[in-house]
Amino acid sequence: MKRTEVKDTGKSRDAKSAGIPGPRNGTRTITLIPGDGIGPEVVNAAVEVIEASGAKLEWDRQLAGAAALKRFGTPVPDDLLASLKRTGVALKGPLETRVGEGYRSINVYLRRELDLYANLRPTLSFPGVHTPFRNVDLIVVRENTEDLYSGIEHQVAPGVVESIKVITARASRRIARFAFEYAKRNRRKSVTAVHKANIMKLSDGLFLRCARAVAREYPKISYREQIVDAACMRLVTDPCSFDVLLLENLYGDIVSDLCAGLVGGLGVVPGANYGERGAIFEAVHGTAPDIAGMNLANPIAIILSSAMMLEYVGYPRQAGLIRRGVQSVLKSGRTMTRDLGGKATTSEMTAAIVRAMRNA
Ligand code: ATP
């Protein structure tokens, strides 16, 4: 365990300023999961930026995914789970999930194991990142624990498989409440539930009925519904007409990447998974094996995820400093990684953000 400095002021978590409940165990030790592919590079960048922000945290480094499989013979070592249960908060790099083979997604496993039911992805335009739209400001709220991600699949007969979509009233109500609470605390104007209830009348129908019931408790926030295909078309033609999006797990996974594309791609969009007892902060991108180990990855997504984490553990000022640093670097356009059309390396981008924070 690398010890930087531990300080607990005894103050209650300030995470409510972000509209998110903070952890209850009174510690500022963070489980640090470097992850696979570009994970270690971008996670190290985030640690550098957090330390430059002045936030005093203790890191409990843990392996997961392919790195843990190689070292310990399992992608989810007991020590990792114990650390997550102890700290309640993790900063995590992407983990490798093989397509159509091997172990199940570790991300899905961890979210379900820790009951991190709400995935939040704030998607914001940045000055200096050129995209067709300038003022995108969307909050994607995705249910994280059920739907087709329940992993219930079986072969009915050779050549025929079934994959079961599970939707429950309990999970639908709590994610709807999360979306409305977020909207209320962050002064957002509307919540749009995205669905396909015209086809999946029972499952998506239940999700919508729960969302409507919760919406009635928040009369000041406008509630809308949109079918997922129409919502995708409107997102790419008129994204500014949306505010908070409320989605089941699968639609949320797909639509949130679409939203990332509206503001500059996977390299700039942060993400967090919240539950009642803890949270994991991670970038929305994957392991990017094509550029892993080359010092080419854009660290901004995980750096902005760290800012969300700092808010959660009671460092809102440091979170603001990091966001201003990122914005200033992007606005100047002088230090851009390859995905943003520039030539800067991961380390150069990180150093530029730290410099911008010092000058802020
Ligand atoms: P995985 O299987 O882990 O999801 P992937 O390569 O299929 O990996 P992503 O990692 O999400 O999916 O990457 C998709 C593309 O976006 C890749 O070409 C990758 O190089 C690029 N990319 C993803 N994240 C970043 C980043 N942080 N910086 C630069 N490029 C990135």
Side-chain angles (χ1 to χ4, degrees):
M1 188 190 291
K2 184 190 164 204
R3 195 171 284 263
T4 46
E5 192 180 333
V6 194
K7 186 177 150 209
D8 193 330
T9 61
K11 277 193 285 187
S12 66
R13 296 288 175 270
D14 211 355
K16 287 212 167 67
S17 62
I20 308 293
R24 294 179 185 151
N25 61 2
T27 175
R28 295 220 173 104
T29 301
I30 309 290
T31 302
L32 189 71
I33 307 170
D36 301 318
I38 58 171
E41 299 159 66
V42 294
V43 166
N44 283 342
V47 169
E48 208 178 311
V49 169
I50 291 169
E51 288 181 353
S53 79
K56 307 294 181 201
L57 301 172
E58 178 184 275
W59 302 111
D60 183 9
R61 280 182 188 264
Q62 295 289 336
L63 291 185
L69 186 67
K70 202 164 150 204
R71 179 110 164 249
F72 305 118
T74 167
V76 191
D78 289 344
D79 281 356
L80 165 70
L81 288 177
S83 172
L84 289 170
K85 285 189 177 148
R86 202 169 48 243
T87 65
V89 188
L91 181 63
K92 183 179 96 40
L95 299 174
E96 185 182 307
T97 299
R98 303 235 166 93
V99 176
E101 54 160 311
Y103 52 80
R104 282 180 56 198
S105 162
I106 313 306
N107 297 321
V108 175
Y109 176 83
L110 290 178
R111 288 169 198 165
R112 294 189 63 197
E113 185 70 17
L114 303 173
D115 200 23
L116 303 176
Y117 66 90
N119 180 262
L120 185 77
R121 296 186 183 184
T123 307
L124 200 67
S125 295
F126 295 97
V129 178
H130 303 293
T131 62
F133 304 100
R134 285 221 185 130
N135 298 312
V136 176
D137 181 4
L138 293 167
I139 303 294
V140 180
V141 175
R142 164 187 171 194
E143 202 289 323
N144 239 354
T145 61
E146 52 182 33
D147 193 0
L148 281 162
Y149 288 66
S150 303
I152 310 170
E153 286 192 312
H154 56 262
Q155 180 172 290
V156 179
V160 183
V161 295
E162 271 183 0
S163 191
I164 307 221
K165 169 166 171 150
V166 177
I167 298 292
T168 65
R170 175 178 173 267
S172 303
R173 270 197 300 265
R174 72 177 177 173
I175 194 66
R177 189 165 305 286
F178 182 96
F180 276 94
E181 273 302 307
Y182 183 93
K184 186 174 141 190
R185 291 182 185 176
N186 292 279
R187 298 195 174 80
R188 311 292 302 208
K189 292 196 166 44
S190 78
V191 172
T192 304
V194 177
H195 66 95
K196 192 78 186 173
N198 52 334
I199 305 296
M200 277 161 280
K201 294 179 196 293
L202 276 184
S203 52
D204 286 15
L206 174 61
F207 184 80
L208 281 188
R209 278 204 308 284
C210 293
R212 283 174 201 156
V214 172
R216 281 196 286 277
E217 296 172 33
Y218 296 83
K220 292 193 179 139
I221 297 163
S222 118
Y223 171 69
R224 306 175 201 160
E225 294 172 356
Q226 188 139 50
I227 293 175
V228 61
D229 37 353
C232 286
M233 200 206 59
R234 213 169 118 211
L235 275 166
V236 298
T237 51
D238 186 16
C240 301
S241 63
F242 290 97
D243 191 351
V244 177
L245 293 165
L246 166 64
L247 307 101
E248 291 169 12
N249 207 342
L250 179 65
Y251 307 144
D253 190 8
I254 298 166
V255 170
S256 56
D257 272 23
L258 182 155
C259 291
L262 296 171
V263 298
L266 297 172
V268 292
V269 177
N273 303 289
Y274 298 100
E276 297 300 333
R277 292 181 305 277
I280 295 184
F281 298 83
E282 62 187 346
V284 311
H285 58 73
T287 57
D290 52 329
I291 55 168
M294 297 163 78
N295 199 21
L296 291 176
N298 185 346
I300 285 181
I302 190 99
I303 287 172
L304 291 176
S305 306
S306 327
M308 293 172 80
M309 183 188 79
L310 290 181
E311 257 166 358
Y312 183 74
V313 296
Y315 285 104
R317 193 178 58 74
Q318 288 79 354
L321 183 63
I322 289 176
R323 290 197 181 105
R324 286 196 299 283
V326 167
Q327 273 168 1
S328 145
V329 168
L330 290 176
K331 191 171 177 190
S332 89
R334 280 194 298 274
T335 313
M336 299 295 238
T337 42
R338 236 176 35 167
D339 57 311
L340 299 177
K343 292 202 170 111
T345 61
T346 311
S347 341
E348 286 164 349
M349 175 70 104
T350 310
I353 293 169
V354 169
R355 263 197 313 278
M357 286 162 59
R358 293 211 171 109
N359 295 332

